[in-house]
């Protein structure tokens, strides 16, 4: 493996539209769709993997129903309704709106988003108005998903963040007391960017729901390595300054989605503002611009790595020097990972980090699907960050054997790229491609794409 791989294909200044049919056997089609659509895909946390949990936003009181929970839509709007029927349902549910309903038609597929802003939802106290986005599939033309978003206007105050947490608790209470399929829910899961998945679940019919908080203060209880390890003291993490958002998303079918349109430009800009301007600053504690001594200290803090575990690789022709660390476990990958920190020899400063999970040469189908699921988790997390408008990309490569799950450029020119290969893939209208060789998931972080 070439640890100095630095190629970053130019990021096209537009959003790629993808519409593959998701099937469990054809994992990557669903991942690319998830990267483009941020779909709800619940996953059980493996008991033997490091993890963090947060009780922030979890309901403390709820009725225990005991019956199976069924996700059928939102309010009077039911999955499978036409645009005309949903408009009528919205009028019944919300006779008074802050702004009139607005339709966005995707220029590529003709699929439609219907958005409306209301002052509040019944029985859900929240510090901001509510934006409801009804999303219609590009194939069926019927309602397939609904987003319900509470977003602060500008940087949030402590009172607003606390209000959104309380609203998350209220919404979560409506789902907590019901019966869900085994291993189909997760709660209190922190994504790599600090976004909190308060709850996600898939019901017995395959519909999904997810509650997530962005830009909220959270209390985190971390365990050392496994579910049986002693818990460390709870840690209070204050969100970085910026907007905050609570989002409830419901989708008609997690495993076989009818793709809905890419978000219209105005909504995309609003979502980016809600997430806050993201900066690709390095990887964990290793920040771009660090010299080797500082970098070694950061690596040891992040992974408790012994000095002798950090291998040095030189490439005089490329003018680079790398520190390489192999990890037995690194979430969310199901196999060992290699982290490569690349320094420019001319300056001695960190400019690039590669994180690569690689299976053996012939993994079984189950492991390939676990790699695909890990890629989907990362893609959904990266999709939620605040990137420079028009620079995000998700696409399947022409050979149908690898995919760019996500790439984005921040406002300062830093970039992130997530690629996967060696997992089942299928392009719409074509036969699935049987994977060969190892499954490889690679995340690359760049200080500057212009150099």
């Amino acid at each position: 493996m070439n640890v100095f791989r630095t190629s970053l294909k130019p990021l096209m200044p537009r959003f790629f539209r993808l519409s593959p049919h998701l099937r469990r056997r054809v994992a990557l089609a669903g991942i690319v769709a998830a990267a483009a659509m941020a779909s709800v895909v619940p996953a059980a946390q493996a008991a033997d993997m490091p993890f963090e949990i947060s009780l922030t936003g979890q309901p403390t009181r709820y009725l225990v129903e005991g019956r199976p929970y069924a996700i059928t839509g939102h309010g009077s709007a039911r999955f499978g309704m036409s645009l005309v029927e949903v408009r009528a349902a919205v009028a019944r549910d919300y006779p008074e709106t802050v702004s009139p309903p607005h339709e966005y038609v995707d220029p590529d597929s003709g699929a439609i988003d219907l958005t409306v802003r209301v002052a509040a939802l019944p029985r859900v106290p929240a510090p901001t108005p509510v934006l409801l986005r009804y999303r219609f599939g590009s194939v069926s033309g019927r309602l397939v998903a609904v987003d319900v978003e509470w977003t602060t206007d500008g940087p949030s105050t402590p009172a607003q963040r606390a209000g959104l947490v309380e609203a998350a608790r209220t919404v979560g209470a409506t789902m907590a007391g019901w019966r869900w399929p085994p291993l189909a829910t997760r709660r209190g899961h922190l994504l790599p960017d600090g976004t909190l998945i308060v709850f996600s679940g898939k019901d017995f019919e395959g519909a999904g729901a997810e509650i997530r908080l962005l830009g909220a203060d959270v209390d985190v209880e971390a365990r050392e390595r496994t579910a049986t390890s002693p818990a460390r003291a709870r840690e209070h993490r204050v969100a970085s300054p910026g907007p905050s958002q609570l989002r409830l998303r419901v989708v008609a079918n997690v495993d076989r989605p009818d793709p809905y349109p890419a978000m219209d430009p105005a909504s995309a800009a609003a979502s980016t503002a809600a997430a806050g301007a993201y900066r690709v600053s390095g990887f964990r504690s290793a920040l771009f611009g660090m010299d080797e001594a500082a970098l070694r200290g950061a690596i040891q803090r992040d992974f408790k790595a012994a000095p002798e575990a950090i291998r040095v690789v030189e490439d005089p022709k490329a003018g680079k020097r790398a520190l390489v660390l192999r990890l037995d476990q690194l979430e969310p990958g199901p196999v060992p990972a290699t982290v490569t920190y690349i320094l420019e020899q001319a300056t001695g400063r960190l400019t690039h980090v590669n994180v690569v999970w690689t299976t053996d040469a012939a993994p079984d189908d189950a492991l390939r699907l676990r790699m695909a699921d890990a890629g989907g988790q990362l893609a959904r997390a990266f999709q939620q960050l605040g990137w420079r408008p028009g620079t995000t990309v998700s696409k399947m490569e022409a050979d149908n054997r690898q995919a760019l799950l996500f790439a984005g450029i921040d406002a300062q020119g830093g970039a992130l790229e997530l690629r996967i290969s060696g997992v089942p893939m299928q392009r719409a209208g074509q036969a699935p491609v049987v994977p060969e060789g190892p499954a490889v998931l690679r995340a690359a972080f760049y200080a500057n794409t212009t150099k």
Side-chain angles (χ1 to χ4, degrees), residues 158-347:
Q160 287 176 319
R161 293 196 294 272
L164 291 177
V165 168
E166 187 59 34
R169 187 173 288 116
T170 301
V171 175
T174 66
M175 303 179 185
W178 297 77
R179 184 157 57 89
W180 296 81
L183 303 179
T185 62
R186 64 179 178 182
R187 294 175 173 84
H189 184 81
L190 279 175
L191 297 180
D193 66 322
T195 297
L196 175 62
I197 304 297
V198 179
F199 174 86
S200 71
K202 184 171 69 171
D203 70 14
F204 287 89
E205 300 300 321
E210 181 188 79
I211 305 168
R212 68 168 56 199
L213 274 168
L214 296 86
D217 302 341
V218 295
D219 291 318
V220 180
E221 180 178 343
R223 297 179 183 271
E224 283 292 341
R225 287 189 60 82
T226 71
T228 58
S229 299
R232 299 198 300 265
R234 182 175 298 172
E235 175 188 354
H236 182 70
R237 297 181 186 172
V238 178
S240 301
S244 299
Q245 182 187 81
L246 167 65
R247 188 189 76 191
L248 165 67
R249 168 168 289 174
V250 292
V251 297
N253 197 311
V254 171
D255 296 326
R256 295 181 299 278
D258 182 355
Y260 42 83
M263 201 176 295
D264 67 273
S267 296
S271 293
T272 296
Y278 179 68
R279 176 76 184 274
V280 183
S281 57
F283 178 66
R284 298 200 175 187
S285 299
L287 303 179
F288 294 136
M290 279 184 170
D291 61 21
E292 185 169 329
L295 176 59
R296 285 180 175 274
I299 295 171
Q300 291 170 359
R301 288 193 301 274
D302 286 341
F303 302 111
K304 298 181 174 60
E308 58 271 18
I310 303 172
R311 184 165 55 94
V312 176
V313 178
E314 302 273 4
D315 187 347
K317 289 185 177 180
K320 299 181 185 299
R321 174 182 173 90
L323 303 185
V324 183
L325 177 68
R326 180 175 170 81
L327 299 169
D328 291 336
Q329 289 183 323
L330 181 63
E331 287 192 90
V335 296
T338 300
V339 187
T340 304
Y341 304 84
I342 300 173
L343 303 97
E344 294 287 346
Q345 284 188 336
T347 63

Side-chain angles (χ1 to χ4, degrees), residues 61-127:
R61 295 182 179 180
Y62 52 86
L63 295 176
V64 178
E65 297 286 349
R67 293 174 290 162
Y69 192 84
I71 303 165
T72 58
H74 179 74
S76 300
R78 294 288 185 261
F79 294 139
M81 281 185 171
S82 67
L83 176 61
V84 172
E85 291 172 320
V86 170
R87 275 189 167 275
V90 171
R92 291 192 301 270
D93 289 342
Y94 308 106
E96 296 183 5
T97 63
V98 175
S99 60
H102 168 72
E103 289 183 21
Y104 167 72
V105 181
D106 183 84
D108 294 328
S109 67
I112 296 172
D113 271 1
L114 176 68
T115 59
V116 61
R117 189 177 297 275
V118 300
L121 292 189
R123 298 180 295 280
V124 183

Side-chain angles (χ1 to χ4, degrees), residues 382-397:
F382 296 148
Q383 192 81 10
Q384 302 304 311
L385 304 178
W387 301 96
R388 185 195 301 172
T391 67
T392 59
V393 177
S394 300
K395 66 174 182 176
M396 196 178 297
E397 300 296 355

